[in-house]
Amino acid sequence: MMIHCEVRRRGTMRFAIGFIGAVAVLGLIGQSARAQTAEKPAVIPQQDPYGHVDPRPMQSFHLTNISSQSDANEVTVAVRNLIDPNVKLYLVPNQNIIVMRGSTEQIAMAQKIINELDRPKKLYRLTYTITETDSGKRVGVQHFSMVLTEGQRTVMKQGNKVPIVTGAYNNSSSQTEQQVTFIDVGMNFDATLDSYGGGVRLKSKVEQLGMAEEKSGVGPQDPIIRQTAVEGTAFLTAGKPVVIGSLDVPGSTRHLDVDVMMEPVAQ
């Protein structure tokens, strides 16, 4: 009897140990499955305002070297025309950011195009020299320098503003008031530079306005303004001056020569 009881006890203990082991193994398997499930992030579908789901990723591109609205528009149009038309592309003008939604390959292509277009612009220094002669004798030389950014218009003025009466009207108190406009008298420069071949292309206007000694026949208060202007396009090479205008001043023995020289500015 003692032998049979011992055998039964051993069988019961083996059954209990086996049952506990199986429960422990199942518990470990359950914990592993829960851990694997927790590691995967939840996929939240992205919807537009109309409820349409778009699973494609979104990317923002900062335009770091764009300084004008027109330049940002040109980059945006270039990217839009060179990639798939189904790609969504928007420009945020006040932040110089292009927002895009498309595939990974399309985003990489857009990044490459933007890197090619969004580059620092070159700076140039323009020096205008106006030489005045009277009866073949040099009587004055003036130099005017300005720094320009490639592709952007730059205006420089030096002189005075002269008031000119252009009309009159009666106010609510039946008093006569005069309408006055102002004219810039002196030197006016308007220039735009673009890279062209081994040099640059200059579009410029140089204007000199001055007061004449004689009076106008329209009214004693109306002055006569003398004007000398040179406007056109010239191709410049660094360090080499180019004459863009040469003229005689009407009614006098004076002569004016206008030349300009371009030099790159190191950044």
Side-chain angles (χ1 to χ4, degrees):
M1 296 295 294
M2 295 291 295
I3 296 174
H4 290 292
C5 290
E6 185 72 21
V7 172
R8 290 177 180 177
R9 287 178 182 177
R10 290 179 179 177
T12 303
M13 292 178 62
R14 290 176 181 176
F15 176 79
I17 293 172
F19 179 78
I20 293 172
V23 171
V25 170
L26 291 175
L28 292 175
I29 294 175
Q31 292 179 0
S32 176
R34 287 194 297 271
Q36 292 179 1
T37 303
E39 290 177 357
K40 295 181 179 180
V43 178
I44 301 176
Q46 299 176 348
Q47 298 182 357
D48 59 15
Y50 302 98
H52 301 151
V53 177
D54 192 343
R56 298 177 298 179
M58 184 178 68
Q59 180 70 35
S60 298
F61 303 99
H62 293 260
L63 305 177
T64 57
N65 298 298
I66 298 299
S67 58
S68 65
Q69 178 69 50
S70 60
D71 291 344
N73 291 336
E74 290 179 1
V75 174
T76 304
V77 171
V79 176
R80 181 178 290 116
N81 291 338
L82 292 175
I83 60 178
D84 194 324
N86 294 324
V87 171
K88 296 180 179 179
L89 193 69
Y90 305 96
L91 171 66
V92 185
N94 62 341
Q95 299 185 25
N96 273 355
I97 294 178
I98 296 178
V99 182
M100 171 183 172
R101 185 184 296 281
S103 66
T104 304
E105 293 78 9
Q106 293 164 348
I107 291 177
M109 181 180 295
Q111 181 68 74
K112 183 177 180 181
I113 297 172
I114 292 174
N115 291 341
E116 291 292 331
L117 299 177
D118 184 22
R119 293 183 176 183
K121 293 188 176 182
K122 299 178 181 180
L123 296 179
Y124 299 94
R125 178 180 288 104
L126 280 183
T127 301
Y128 290 93
T129 301
I130 300 177
T131 304
E132 183 177 356
T133 59
D134 193 347
S135 300
K137 182 180 179 180
R138 180 179 293 184
V139 296
V141 178
Q142 293 178 297
H143 301 283
F144 302 89
S145 295
M146 54 195 301
V147 176
L148 292 82
T149 302
E150 178 185 9
Q152 294 185 3
R153 179 190 176 199
T154 302
V155 177
M156 181 174 65
K157 297 182 178 182
Q158 186 273 327
N160 302 314
K161 285 185 175 292
V162 177
I164 297 178
V165 177
T166 58
Y169 65 94
N170 294 328
N171 58 19
S172 58
S173 302
S174 299
Q175 295 178 349
T176 302
E177 295 188 5
Q178 295 180 335
Q179 293 178 335
V180 179
T181 186
F182 292 86
I183 295 180
D184 294 321
V185 174
M187 296 300 305
N188 300 326
F189 300 90
D190 190 330
T192 304
L193 276 179
D194 295 297
S195 297
Y196 188 88
V200 298
R201 178 178 56 187
L202 170 65
K203 297 179 180 179
S204 70
K205 180 180 181 180
V206 180
E207 186 178 33
Q208 184 184 49
L209 299 175
M211 301 283 293
E213 296 180 358
E214 60 268 26
K215 299 299 181 179
S216 172
V218 178
Q221 75 279 6
D222 296 327
I224 294 179
I225 307 297
R226 292 192 179 275
Q227 180 188 40
T228 302
V230 177
E231 182 176 2
T233 302
F235 298 93
L236 307 179
T237 303
K240 296 182 179 180
V242 175
V243 177
I244 60 174
S246 181
L247 51 94
D248 293 323
V249 179
S252 69
T253 57
R254 295 184 299 129
H255 180 83
L256 292 178
D257 289 321
V258 181
D259 66 73
V260 61
M261 183 176 67
M262 174 273 296
E263 295 175 312
V265 177
Q267 301 184 50

